[in-house]
Amino acid sequence: MPLSQERFDLVIAANRLPVDRVREGGRSVWRRSPGGLVTAMESVMSGRDGAWIGWSGVPGKAPAAFEQGGMRLHPVALSAEEVRDYYEGFSNGSLWPLSHDDIVPPTFKRRWQAAYETVNRRFAEAAAKLAAEKATVWVHDYQLQQMPQFLRELRPDLRIGWFNHIPFPPVELFMQLPARDAMLRGLLAADFLGFQRRTDAQNFLRACRQLLVDDDISVRADVVHTADGHECRAAAVPISIDTRGMAELAATAKVRERAAEIREQLGNPKHLLLGVDRLDYTKGIRHRLKALEEMYREGSLDPTETKFIQVATPSRERLEAYQHIKRDVEQTVGRINGEHSSFGAPPVTYLHRSFPRDEMAAMFVAADVMLVTPLRDGMNLVAKEYVAAHDETGALVLSEFTGAANELKQSYLCNPHDIARTKRTIVRAIEASPEERARRMRAMHRQVLRHDVQRWAERFLTDLAVAPRQP
Ligand code: ADP
Ligand code: F6P
């Protein structure tokens, strides 16, 4: 196929660009997109010469390509029907719940699957035009699982990698998906597939072995050999954050002063707890609030001494499951504050909006205990950000159902479904001695400093370059 004038040795494809087109004061402006994928890839790509293909966040015609942070951003158009069927439907109504233990029941519709395929083809065509001869194309996340196959058909010369930011479900759940074979075949056209945990890579390999029985494939160790002679390796490459960047930001006078100001505005509580999540049913916000509500009621937390900030970033707001969780969370916060506030001093501060990085850093610095309690999460970068930002006096309560729990073993691990034990874990974290907190935080500091996002990207790109061999 004809190549465009402008070609790149590294092309990133993700559902979203790092910036979203939003209306502000009657004007259209670009604003940072939500979520961990953008947090991670923004720092990986800054200073690299590459292109990023993604949706602008609004339906209709795609804006023209533009430069940002030394990167070429190429918007891909999605019609209103495609936003409904590919993004809200197949991606977030079928794949997302299926990949998160069916916390809400997934819905399957043939129309959604057709739109998913069309959009994946469009992304592949855009990448095929932008990639230089033998370039590397790095595809991201569950929204683009068929793209590797469509891209391989157009450009057999490319090195194609895919990274899954979310869990890959066990085969017993994955096999519910009517389009399961198409997803696996789509991915197998890549040279290397990266997953958050070993379990995710194993789930994928097991799904290939068990479900593609008519495809004449063979799975040897972590490599799948397909009938056409292609080989695709699948392995764990856990994602991370720009640890030094976050630590430096958190150490600035501006952020430290702001952290002190936040505590003061809350009446200088003895203990400040914090939760930061997209408002998603996977994040366990309901369970967390239930635990805290019981603790305020029973008196194991004193509402005048212990305050809780919950940041809940708006997300996928047109989907019913997200409207439900929003309603539940807001009702519970209202109830807790109704029962336990004194004048001008509610125990829970609920913030339903986006914040600049330095304000997020100030909250991390201000909080004595960070509560990260998802029911299932691919990694959870917020947990790592808290560790990077906070000094040795902090404490992290972390769900066993996050990818981060594999690495941050010195956190206070909890099972968020077990409300009684979660409550005890929160009390342990609050009451831990300074020595115990320091010991745990020091170990976690070492972990996130050693395994930062740059190292993750280098590992992924090296794995991809030498696949199907191991580096
Ligand atoms: P997910 O990708 O599921 O949203 P992660 O925890 O991996 O979850 O990543 C979330 C990212 O979004 C983190 O970098 C976090 O700091 C950022 N973030 C979350 N809420 C907000 C907010 N209200 N304003 C700004 N950034 C936020
Ligand atoms: O990996 C989680 C994820 O789906 C990412 O693709 C994205 O960073 C984030 O959640 C935000 O979701 P959305 O793009 O649907 O707003």
Side-chain angles (χ1 to χ4, degrees), residues 15-16 34-38 87 92 96 141-143 165-166 278 315-316:
N15 172 58
R16 278 185 194 276
L37 186 158
V38 165
Y87 171 69
N92 291 315
W96 179 267
D141 235 358
Y142 61 102
Q143 300 96 340
H165 291 253
I166 70 171
R278 264 183 317 100
S315 188
R316 307 173 191 165

Side-chain angles (χ1 to χ4, degrees), residues 336-351:
I336 300 176
N337 282 340
E339 283 179 28
H340 302 286
S341 292
S342 38
F343 286 107
V348 181
T349 300
Y350 172 71
L351 303 166

